[in-house]
Amino acid sequence: MTAPATAYIGIGGNLGDARATVEDALRRLAQLPHTILSAQSPLYRTAPVDAGGDDYVNAVAQLFTSLTPHDLLQALQDIEQAHGRQRPYRNAPRTLDLDILLYGDLIIADDVLTVPHPRMTQRAFVLIPLLDIAPAVAIPGIGAVRDLRAGVADQPIHPIGN
């Protein structure tokens, strides 16, 4: 374990009942050891980016956690596996995808984890929900997320009502 850090988790899925899966993933994030689910964005519906299949249901969660980045990654992968996540090829449709977007102000690049998430600045389904819960957040080495919003303005993203 490490000192508590703020981590942001991207959540998405487009197979099965994606909304129920994303909602369950949020409940499971709240149950992680040494972790508090401190905020969650609204749910959004988005078309797949660089992939096929049905629309995705997406959200972003803010966690306060003492789990190390790698322990958090393992916990996220365990939640994915509980939902039948398979990885047959890059950008394949999925029941659930959980990504560490940011972990404090750390920059990590090793064989299993890259933080900040390498494609988060290119995805409206990440930036818009992230701004919902952390309007002043910055990406280490890049800058304020709010300044990146214009770069994804051409990607449709639709809030899902309760």
Side-chain angles (χ1 to χ4, degrees):
M1 286 197 314
T2 64
T6 302
Y8 294 93
I9 309 301
I11 308 165
N14 74 332
L15 294 177
D17 187 344
R19 181 177 181 163
T21 299
V22 169
E23 289 170 342
D24 184 66
L26 286 161
R27 282 188 293 277
R28 289 176 186 241
L29 289 173
Q31 297 170 356
L32 290 176
H34 312 290
T35 300
I36 297 169
L37 173 64
S38 51
Q40 65 186 57
S41 74
L43 302 183
Y44 287 91
R45 182 167 307 284
T46 62
V49 175
D50 298 331
D54 294 336
D55 284 354
Y56 277 80
V57 173
N58 295 101
V60 170
Q62 179 187 62
L63 306 178
F64 292 135
T65 186
S66 295
L67 296 174
T68 67
H70 289 87
D71 288 343
L72 179 58
L73 176 63
Q74 183 60 57
L76 298 181
Q77 290 174 341
D78 290 346
I79 295 170
E80 289 177 342
Q81 289 303 308
H83 282 282
R85 170 73 189 264
Q86 297 180 4
R87 300 172 189 267
Y89 54 90
R90 183 180 165 111
N91 294 328
R94 56 205 69 171
T95 54
L96 182 63
D97 187 28
L98 298 172
D99 292 319
I100 301 174
L101 304 173
L102 300 168
Y103 187 100
D105 59 1
L106 293 182
I107 297 175
I108 303 167
D110 61 32
D111 292 343
V112 296
L113 181 59
T114 303
V115 174
H117 189 280
R119 291 174 302 285
M120 70 181 285
T121 62
Q122 304 163 11
R123 309 288 199 239
F125 63 80
V126 170
L127 297 181
I128 302 307
L130 179 58
L131 286 168
D132 284 339
I133 59 173
V137 72
I139 300 171
I142 295 175
V145 170
R146 69 178 168 269
D147 296 339
L148 303 171
R149 188 174 182 161
V152 298
D154 63 331
Q155 297 175 25
I157 179 167
H158 308 284
I160 298 174
N162 291 336

